[in-house]
Amino acid sequence: MGSDGSYWCHLDSRIPSTMKVFIFGVLISIVAAGSIPAYGDKRPDIVSQSDVRNVDGSSQWSFAGSDGTTREESQIQKQLTSGYDKETASGNTNKGSTYYISPEGQKITLTWISDENGFQPKGDHLPTPPPVPEEIARMLSTLPKLAESYKSV
């Protein structure tokens, strides 16, 4: 509030000039980001969709866009076992798929399952681990025998 009782805003002269430049840059970035369309010139239309919720807690939903994008997902409730004590509890398992074309023109298909074993995505575009070197693979096969020999000591 100003000395005359009015409300006004200013950047205090005690604020370093680098901070003023930073604040100005952030404000410009916010304004610029708001003017860039997220979907190019036109947003795709939804050409089909479904959403089914069942009393047992299961559900299925899907949609397809005018640009060829599709997505479908289903879930069911089931008894899940987890932890060292093998505790069981009700939980959801999901599976689904999506298809779209990347900005580079690559056709992307992603499928997944999510259950007591975690989230398990699959798709040709996902990175894969390198093969296990032969020396390590041979060593891994000896570990159970080695562990057994330490139990007898």
Side-chain angles (χ1 to χ4, degrees):
M1 185 171 7
S3 59
D4 62 355
S6 63
Y7 288 96
W8 49 277
C9 179
H10 74 287
L11 287 177
D12 193 319
S13 61
R14 292 175 288 171
I15 297 176
S17 61
T18 54
M19 181 60 86
K20 292 176 185 176
V21 170
F22 176 75
I23 292 171
F24 181 72
V26 168
L27 292 174
I28 293 298
S29 299
I30 292 170
V31 170
S35 64
I36 299 171
Y39 293 97
D41 294 337
K42 182 183 177 218
R43 290 180 182 231
D45 295 323
I46 301 297
V47 295
S48 69
Q49 71 180 41
S50 69
D51 189 358
V52 177
R53 311 288 170 156
N54 301 311
V55 294
D56 64 356
S58 63
S59 65
Q60 303 86 32
W61 62 268
S62 65
F63 72 85
S66 60
D67 61 350
T69 300
T70 62
R71 174 123 184 223
E72 58 186 52
E73 188 168 334
S74 64
Q75 80 164 13
I76 60 170
Q77 289 189 342
K78 72 179 224 181
Q79 290 296 109
L80 302 174
T81 304
S82 66
Y84 293 109
D85 58 357
K86 300 297 181 195
E87 182 179 320
T88 60
S90 293
N92 291 335
T93 63
N94 295 52
K95 65 179 179 176
S97 66
T98 190
Y99 170 84
Y100 62 95
I101 299 174
S102 74
E104 297 78 28
Q106 182 182 7
K107 295 177 181 179
I108 305 291
T109 300
L110 175 68
T111 59
W112 66 89
I113 296 173
S114 182
D115 58 14
E116 62 270 20
N117 298 314
F119 181 66
Q120 304 154 58
K122 292 182 183 175
D124 292 338
H125 65 290
L126 296 176
T128 57
V132 176
E134 186 179 327
E135 302 82 25
I136 294 176
R138 282 196 309 264
M139 187 244 354
L140 289 174
S141 66
T142 65
L143 288 179
K145 296 173 199 166
L146 184 62
E148 198 57 44
S149 68
Y150 277 106
K151 286 182 182 177
S152 62
V153 173

